[in-house]
Amino acid sequence: MKNFYTLTLNEIKQLVQKKELSKKELLESLFQRIDKIDKDLNAFISLFKEEIEISDSKNFLPIAVKDNICIKGKKTTCGSKILEDYVSPYNASVIEYLKNEGFVFVGKTNMDEFAMGSSTETSYFGYTKNPYDLTRIPGGSSGGSAVAVASYEVPVALGSDTGGSIRQPAALCGVVGVKPTYGRVSRYGLVAFASSLDQIGVFARNVLDAAIVLENICRYDEKDSTSINLAQEKFTEELCKTDEDFIKSLTIGVPKEYFIEGIQKEIKDKIYEVINFLSNQGLKIEEVSLPNTEYAVAVYYIIAPSEASSNLARYDGVKYGYKSEDKIVSYSQSKMINMYLLTRKEGFGSEVKRRIMLGTYSLSSGYYDAYYLKAQKVRKLIFDDFINVFNKVDLLITPTSPTTAFKIGEKINDPLKMYLSDIFTIPCNLAGLPGMSIPCGYDSNNLPIGLQILAPHFKETKMLKLAYFIEKNFRFKKITNEYVVGEQ
Ligand code: GLN
């Protein structure tokens, strides 16, 4: 059988329109691929083969969905025991939009528990492996979505990004990952982790495919009070206009705080190779400074756990998911309190508990001013840094991650080390900016390196155009193996 699983989303769209590809052929090819390799990779928590086969949708654009986005009638586990059997009673808004455009949902992907992590190792459903080296992590928390796309199980996937959970795994798995501006994509039906930072976005193997999904999900939604009422943009049309003059007129900022000591040298060198390439193409390159960058991780680890501690209070054994009953942990408490205590003790993993404790502590009345309030003030300084810089430059280029994919187990017992994986992605979330990662080469272990582009609020089009330009013109030889297929 022809390897239909290697088709891009755009190719599938064209072939379907010309009636040159049947739903059966495509889905058989995809599910055979998944059957063959996913036992090694563990990208999926659930698969919906039968449902897709009987659905009457004429179009059939396959997409995978991170398991914290609700699909009606399907489990939404968030990679957690506490939601192991939770079935969503409604569709997230993004799911409605995509369904109406002929997308079909192949399955739900693995993730760090409640999207807390940078390696997909905190999932209750076992870890996902990096298709470039099965002894390494794929990044996280949307590791399942990144791997499903990188290993040709699906052409595109949805993820969520609170501090880097789309861009960092995209970088570590050699695919494109886009986090839109905060408020661009409805969060209705996305299980809340840190509501002022969470944003749904997309993984794809090329920029055009990402743009196809994005233009369908970047929409105003009255069900989300933080959704911004902007006209839907036609990202793909914009990309297909050949306006190299526009690209060459751009000024690119290179923030010096993103090339700090400790970053893997090969990553730094590779990013500079792209910057030099752009400079040779006529783009203006300027070194800029974002002086409060060094506080971003600290600020994030106050704000995100604070919001998480509040959001996760709803998992109490009464309203959702797992319930532990009829056991006593504390004789001084009522039966009901015992039930709450045990449900949360048994239902949450240790990283989630750590965050709940951190958050509860920084929101408590004695420490609120010293931690939470202070963090909010510094968040504003980080925001202002970006606004200042974007008065001078159009876009920023940085590394996405300080290292390439690390070994399974290497950082899981050292939370601080793990938290630093997102040092370059977190500031963007704190400021609500759009950001994306594109592959730009490999290190000496043949592991992918990601380049991050950051844009001013709502300038996704400009960001995608630069990414598209780099993808087309900065060529590098793609590494392939049995999981990562070569270009056809
Ligand atoms: N790795 C970061 C964290 O653990 C970011 C996660 C995310 O973006 N969901 O919080």
Side-chain angles (χ1 to χ4, degrees):
M1 188 173 62
K2 206 162 164 253
N3 289 339
F4 294 116
Y5 62 79
T6 62
L7 295 171
T8 66
L9 187 67
N10 189 44
E11 286 165 346
I12 295 171
K13 226 176 138 188
Q14 311 286 331
L15 291 172
V16 172
Q17 259 160 23
K18 290 190 267 172
K19 299 205 164 47
E20 285 171 16
L21 176 68
S22 78
K23 179 169 154 184
K24 192 162 176 286
E25 291 173 318
L26 175 66
L27 294 176
E28 255 175 32
S29 173
L30 284 180
F31 280 103
Q32 262 182 25
R33 171 87 181 153
I34 294 171
D35 279 350
K36 189 167 152 222
I37 63 170
D38 208 58
K39 49 184 184 317
D40 298 339
L41 300 171
N42 196 27
F44 284 93
I45 293 180
S46 44
L47 288 163
F48 310 138
K49 187 164 181 233
E50 283 84 35
E51 292 88 327
I52 299 185
E53 274 165 3
I54 56 172
S55 84
D56 54 3
S57 155
K58 281 181 204 60
N59 226 328
F60 41 90
L61 304 171
I63 188 164
V65 179
K66 186 176 181 182
D67 211 12
N68 59 352
I69 299 172
C70 294
I71 303 182
K72 188 175 176 176
K74 300 278 174 255
K75 283 186 187 173
T76 300
T77 69
C78 284
S80 182
K81 178 176 175 181
I82 213 159
L83 289 178
E84 188 177 5
D85 296 314
Y86 169 72
V87 175
S88 175
Y90 68 97
N91 276 332
S93 293
V94 289
I95 298 296
E96 280 297 321
Y97 301 151
L98 292 173
K99 208 173 123 200
N100 293 337
E101 290 303 319
F103 280 81
V104 290
F105 307 106
V106 172
K108 304 288 289 286
T109 56
N110 201 9
M111 56 184 281
D112 279 299
E113 188 178 3
F114 283 100
M116 297 173 189
S118 307
S119 65
T120 316
E121 289 170 291
T122 71
S123 170
Y124 177 64
F125 301 92
Y127 30 82
T128 299
K129 293 173 188 154
N130 191 307
Y132 284 88
D133 177 347
L134 300 194
T135 67
R136 292 174 190 268
I137 57 93
S141 65
S142 316
S145 287
V147 170
V149 171
S151 64
Y152 291 73
E153 296 179 316
V154 279
V156 287
L158 292 181
S160 68
D161 192 312
T162 304
S165 278
I166 293 178
R167 288 159 289 153
Q168 186 256 14
L172 272 44
C173 292
V175 294
V176 174
V178 188
K179 173 224 174 276
T181 310
Y182 182 77
R184 260 283 196 190
V185 181
S186 171
R187 288 181 294 112
Y188 180 78
L190 166 70
V191 177
F193 161 13
S195 311
S196 77
L197 302 159
D198 297 340
Q199 188 61 189
I200 292 176
V202 60
F203 290 91
R205 288 191 296 269
N206 64 56
V207 179
L208 185 60
D209 278 7
I212 296 175
V213 179
L214 281 172
E215 67 189 9
N216 286 301
I217 62 170
C218 288
R219 290 161 68 152
Y220 171 63
D221 180 17
E222 58 186 23
K223 293 198 190 107
D224 172 358
S225 63
T226 57
S227 170
I228 312 257
N229 198 346
L230 281 178
Q232 232 177 311
E233 286 192 56
K234 296 208 163 73
F235 298 129
T236 50
E237 255 177 45
E238 286 293 327
L239 285 189
C240 294
K241 283 185 204 154
T242 45
D243 47 4
E244 299 221 335
D245 289 346
F246 168 77
I247 295 290
K248 292 180 178 174
S249 72
L250 293 176
T251 305
I252 306 297
V254 182
K256 60 171 191 260
E257 292 79 6
Y258 284 65
F259 293 87
I260 41 163
E261 231 176 279
I263 170 175
Q264 199 176 314
K265 185 172 178 303
E266 291 165 298
I267 294 183
K268 189 172 162 181
D269 292 348
K270 187 55 80 181
I271 303 299
Y272 269 109
E273 213 180 300
V274 180
I275 291 170
N276 289 335
F277 165 80
L278 291 175
S279 169
N280 292 335
Q281 294 286 316
L283 284 84
K284 214 163 144 227
I285 310 289
E286 239 177 67
E287 191 187 78
V288 294
S289 172
L290 296 159
N292 293 291
T293 302
E294 62 175 308
Y295 307 117
V297 173
V299 165
Y300 175 88
Y301 278 97
I302 298 290
I303 291 176
S306 296
E307 295 185 21
S309 71
S310 164
N311 277 326
L312 272 61
R314 72 191 69 175
Y315 306 105
D316 57 7
V318 180
K319 301 185 219 48
Y320 305 91
Y322 178 76
K323 177 182 197 139
S324 179
E325 266 178 308
D326 300 329
K327 280 181 262 172
I328 305 288
V329 276
S330 166
Y331 284 97
S332 61
Q333 302 287 1
S334 68
K335 210 173 157 201
M336 187 180 75
I337 297 289
N338 266 293
M339 189 279 288
Y340 288 157
L341 289 173
L342 266 179
T343 296
R344 291 168 70 81
K345 177 174 187 247
E346 293 167 7
F348 289 135
S350 54
E351 183 60 28
V352 173
K353 286 180 191 154
R354 180 180 297 124
R355 307 265 181 130
I356 292 174
M357 287 191 285
L358 274 172
T360 309
Y361 181 81
S362 36
L363 289 179
S364 61
S365 61
Y367 295 99
Y368 181 91
D369 287 0
Y371 294 106
Y372 185 73
L373 194 64
K374 184 81 154 280
Q376 289 290 21
K377 288 179 181 167
V378 182
R379 179 178 188 174
K380 175 71 166 66
L381 296 177
I382 293 168
F383 180 96
D384 290 344
D385 279 356
F386 281 112
I387 301 293
N388 287 338
V389 153
F390 283 131
N391 281 328
K392 288 183 265 179
V393 300
D394 294 287
L395 297 162
L396 295 171
I397 285 188
T398 80
T400 308
S401 161
T403 68
T404 51
F406 43 92
K407 290 272 185 190
I408 292 170
E410 191 180 321
K411 300 189 182 173
I412 194 70
N413 296 319
D414 189 343
L416 282 183
K417 253 195 193 157
M418 187 70 92
Y419 295 173
L420 287 173
S421 310
D422 293 309
I423 190 162
F424 301 145
T425 48
I426 280 174
C428 157
N429 299 73
L430 291 170
L433 300 171
M436 68 187 290
S437 181
I438 54 171
C440 65
Y442 305 89
D443 71 1
S444 47
N445 287 321
N446 289 343
L447 298 167
I449 294 175
L451 171 136
Q452 179 172 238
I453 307 174
L454 299 174
H457 297 105
F458 309 113
K459 298 291 184 209
E460 280 84 359
T461 303
K462 214 189 249 187
M463 175 176 84
L464 289 165
K465 280 189 175 195
L466 178 66
Y468 193 60
F469 179 81
I470 298 174
E471 180 183 77
K472 257 201 322 214
N473 298 294
F474 183 81
R475 290 257 153 200
F476 56 94
K477 194 172 169 338
K478 303 272 161 53
I479 289 175
T480 61
N481 63 35
E482 62 174 305
Y483 303 106
V484 186
V485 184
E487 274 167 290
Q488 300 297 299

PDB file of all heavy atoms in Angstrom, residues 115-118 141 161-165 193 300-301 355 422, ligand 1:
ATOM      1  N   ALA A 115      -0.398  18.918  32.408  1.00  0.00           N
ATOM      2  CA  ALA A 115       0.504  19.776  31.608  1.00  0.00           C
ATOM      3  C   ALA A 115       1.635  20.371  32.435  1.00  0.00           C
ATOM      4  O   ALA A 115       2.200  21.406  32.087  1.00  0.00           O
ATOM      5  CB  ALA A 115      -0.269  20.881  30.870  1.00  0.00           C
ATOM      6  N   MET A 116       1.953  19.711  33.551  1.00  0.00           N
ATOM      7  CA  MET A 116       3.037  20.209  34.403  1.00  0.00           C
ATOM      8  C   MET A 116       4.281  19.367  34.168  1.00  0.00           C
ATOM      9  O   MET A 116       4.416  18.266  34.695  1.00  0.00           O
ATOM     10  CB  MET A 116       2.628  20.122  35.874  1.00  0.00           C
ATOM     11  CG  MET A 116       1.425  20.997  36.180  1.00  0.00           C
ATOM     12  SD  MET A 116       0.837  20.722  37.838  1.00  0.00           S
ATOM     13  CE  MET A 116      -0.688  21.663  37.792  1.00  0.00           C
ATOM     14  N   GLY A 117       5.188  19.906  33.364  1.00  0.00           N
ATOM     15  CA  GLY A 117       6.417  19.176  33.097  1.00  0.00           C
ATOM     16  C   GLY A 117       7.015  19.571  31.769  1.00  0.00           C
ATOM     17  O   GLY A 117       6.387  20.269  30.969  1.00  0.00           O
ATOM     18  N   SER A 118       8.240  19.123  31.544  1.00  0.00           N
ATOM     19  CA  SER A 118       8.944  19.459  30.298  1.00  0.00           C
ATOM     20  C   SER A 118       9.487  18.203  29.637  1.00  0.00           C
ATOM     21  O   SER A 118      10.423  18.263  28.840  1.00  0.00           O
ATOM     22  CB  SER A 118      10.123  20.386  30.608  1.00  0.00           C
ATOM     23  OG  SER A 118       9.678  21.488  31.352  1.00  0.00           O
ATOM     24  N   SER A 141       5.031  19.833  28.038  1.00  0.00           N
ATOM     25  CA  SER A 141       4.201  18.714  28.396  1.00  0.00           C
ATOM     26  C   SER A 141       3.473  18.049  27.239  1.00  0.00           C
ATOM     27  O   SER A 141       2.991  16.931  27.374  1.00  0.00           O
ATOM     28  CB  SER A 141       3.165  19.176  29.418  1.00  0.00           C
ATOM     29  OG  SER A 141       2.289  20.134  28.830  1.00  0.00           O
ATOM     30  N   ASP A 161       0.067  25.307  25.599  1.00  0.00           N
ATOM     31  CA  ASP A 161       1.350  25.911  25.956  1.00  0.00           C
ATOM     32  C   ASP A 161       1.119  26.924  27.065  1.00  0.00           C
ATOM     33  O   ASP A 161       0.488  27.956  26.860  1.00  0.00           O
ATOM     34  CB  ASP A 161       1.925  26.582  24.695  1.00  0.00           C
ATOM     35  CG  ASP A 161       3.373  27.008  24.823  1.00  0.00           C
ATOM     36  OD1 ASP A 161       3.703  27.646  25.846  1.00  0.00           O
ATOM     37  OD2 ASP A 161       4.172  26.739  23.904  1.00  0.00           O
ATOM     38  N   THR A 162       1.610  26.599  28.263  1.00  0.00           N
ATOM     39  CA  THR A 162       1.451  27.467  29.438  1.00  0.00           C
ATOM     40  C   THR A 162       2.779  28.158  29.739  1.00  0.00           C
ATOM     41  O   THR A 162       2.813  29.291  30.207  1.00  0.00           O
ATOM     42  CB  THR A 162       0.991  26.609  30.634  1.00  0.00           C
ATOM     43  OG1 THR A 162      -0.214  25.929  30.256  1.00  0.00           O
ATOM     44  CG2 THR A 162       0.749  27.452  31.874  1.00  0.00           C
ATOM     45  N   GLY A 163       3.870  27.408  29.463  1.00  0.00           N
ATOM     46  CA  GLY A 163       5.209  27.972  29.682  1.00  0.00           C
ATOM     47  C   GLY A 163       6.186  27.463  28.638  1.00  0.00           C
ATOM     48  O   GLY A 163       7.396  27.612  28.795  1.00  0.00           O
ATOM     49  N   GLY A 164       5.647  26.814  27.623  1.00  0.00           N
ATOM     50  CA  GLY A 164       6.535  26.292  26.571  1.00  0.00           C
ATOM     51  C   GLY A 164       6.145  24.923  26.072  1.00  0.00           C
ATOM     52  O   GLY A 164       6.839  24.317  25.250  1.00  0.00           O
ATOM     53  N   SER A 165       5.028  24.416  26.545  1.00  0.00           N
ATOM     54  CA  SER A 165       4.662  23.017  26.292  1.00  0.00           C
ATOM     55  C   SER A 165       4.350  22.655  24.855  1.00  0.00           C
ATOM     56  O   SER A 165       4.168  21.471  24.551  1.00  0.00           O
ATOM     57  CB  SER A 165       3.484  22.616  27.155  1.00  0.00           C
ATOM     58  OG  SER A 165       3.951  22.277  28.429  1.00  0.00           O
ATOM     59  N   PHE A 193      -4.922  24.815  33.648  1.00  0.00           N
ATOM     60  CA  PHE A 193      -3.739  24.635  34.484  1.00  0.00           C
ATOM     61  C   PHE A 193      -3.449  26.003  35.115  1.00  0.00           C
ATOM     62  O   PHE A 193      -3.703  26.211  36.306  1.00  0.00           O
ATOM     63  CB  PHE A 193      -2.601  24.100  33.611  1.00  0.00           C
ATOM     64  CG  PHE A 193      -1.198  24.251  34.132  1.00  0.00           C
ATOM     65  CD1 PHE A 193      -0.919  24.604  35.455  1.00  0.00           C
ATOM     66  CD2 PHE A 193      -0.112  24.026  33.288  1.00  0.00           C
ATOM     67  CE1 PHE A 193       0.395  24.742  35.913  1.00  0.00           C
ATOM     68  CE2 PHE A 193       1.201  24.165  33.744  1.00  0.00           C
ATOM     69  CZ  PHE A 193       1.447  24.542  35.057  1.00  0.00           C
ATOM     70  N   TYR A 300       7.286  32.760  36.900  1.00  0.00           N
ATOM     71  CA  TYR A 300       6.388  31.717  36.403  1.00  0.00           C
ATOM     72  C   TYR A 300       6.097  30.695  37.499  1.00  0.00           C
ATOM     73  O   TYR A 300       4.942  30.264  37.658  1.00  0.00           O
ATOM     74  CB  TYR A 300       7.036  31.036  35.189  1.00  0.00           C
ATOM     75  CG  TYR A 300       6.248  29.857  34.655  1.00  0.00           C
ATOM     76  CD1 TYR A 300       5.249  30.029  33.705  1.00  0.00           C
ATOM     77  CD2 TYR A 300       6.515  28.556  35.103  1.00  0.00           C
ATOM     78  CE1 TYR A 300       4.528  28.950  33.215  1.00  0.00           C
ATOM     79  CE2 TYR A 300       5.798  27.468  34.614  1.00  0.00           C
ATOM     80  CZ  TYR A 300       4.817  27.666  33.678  1.00  0.00           C
ATOM     81  OH  TYR A 300       4.097  26.590  33.205  1.00  0.00           O
ATOM     82  N   TYR A 301       7.131  30.314  38.246  1.00  0.00           N
ATOM     83  CA  TYR A 301       6.909  29.272  39.264  1.00  0.00           C
ATOM     84  C   TYR A 301       6.267  29.796  40.549  1.00  0.00           C
ATOM     85  O   TYR A 301       6.108  29.051  41.514  1.00  0.00           O
ATOM     86  CB  TYR A 301       8.186  28.455  39.498  1.00  0.00           C
ATOM     87  CG  TYR A 301       8.268  27.403  38.403  1.00  0.00           C
ATOM     88  CD1 TYR A 301       9.025  27.605  37.264  1.00  0.00           C
ATOM     89  CD2 TYR A 301       7.452  26.260  38.460  1.00  0.00           C
ATOM     90  CE1 TYR A 301       9.022  26.684  36.226  1.00  0.00           C
ATOM     91  CE2 TYR A 301       7.450  25.343  37.431  1.00  0.00           C
ATOM     92  CZ  TYR A 301       8.228  25.553  36.315  1.00  0.00           C
ATOM     93  OH  TYR A 301       8.187  24.637  35.288  1.00  0.00           O
ATOM     94  N   ARG A 355       3.206  21.389  42.997  1.00  0.00           N
ATOM     95  CA  ARG A 355       2.710  22.679  42.496  1.00  0.00           C
ATOM     96  C   ARG A 355       1.553  23.192  43.348  1.00  0.00           C
ATOM     97  O   ARG A 355       1.445  24.384  43.604  1.00  0.00           O
ATOM     98  CB  ARG A 355       2.237  22.537  41.044  1.00  0.00           C
ATOM     99  CG  ARG A 355       3.270  21.935  40.121  1.00  0.00           C
ATOM    100  CD  ARG A 355       4.064  22.971  39.396  1.00  0.00           C
ATOM    101  NE  ARG A 355       5.012  22.308  38.510  1.00  0.00           N
ATOM    102  CZ  ARG A 355       5.165  22.612  37.223  1.00  0.00           C
ATOM    103  NH1 ARG A 355       4.455  23.562  36.671  1.00  0.00           N
ATOM    104  NH2 ARG A 355       6.059  21.984  36.499  1.00  0.00           N
ATOM    105  N   ASP A 422      12.557  25.442  30.321  1.00  0.00           N
ATOM    106  CA  ASP A 422      11.645  26.393  29.686  1.00  0.00           C
ATOM    107  C   ASP A 422      12.101  27.830  29.814  1.00  0.00           C
ATOM    108  O   ASP A 422      11.322  28.760  29.625  1.00  0.00           O
ATOM    109  CB  ASP A 422      10.244  26.240  30.281  1.00  0.00           C
ATOM    110  CG  ASP A 422       9.645  24.909  29.915  1.00  0.00           C
ATOM    111  OD1 ASP A 422       9.653  24.591  28.723  1.00  0.00           O
ATOM    112  OD2 ASP A 422       9.195  24.186  30.813  1.00  0.00           O
TER     113      ASP A 422
HETATM  114  N1  GLN B   1       7.245  22.978  31.618  1.00  0.00           N
HETATM  115  C1  GLN B   1       6.440  24.058  32.132  1.00  0.00           C
HETATM  116  C2  GLN B   1       5.763  23.603  33.397  1.00  0.00           C
HETATM  117  O1  GLN B   1       6.069  22.563  33.833  1.00  0.00           O
HETATM  118  C3  GLN B   1       5.440  24.490  31.104  1.00  0.00           C
HETATM  119  C4  GLN B   1       4.324  23.561  30.947  1.00  0.00           C
HETATM  120  C5  GLN B   1       3.305  23.970  29.956  1.00  0.00           C
HETATM  121  O2  GLN B   1       3.555  24.836  29.111  1.00  0.00           O
HETATM  122  N2  GLN B   1       2.127  23.398  30.088  1.00  0.00           N
HETATM  123  O3  GLN B   1       4.940  24.259  33.954  1.00  0.00           O
END
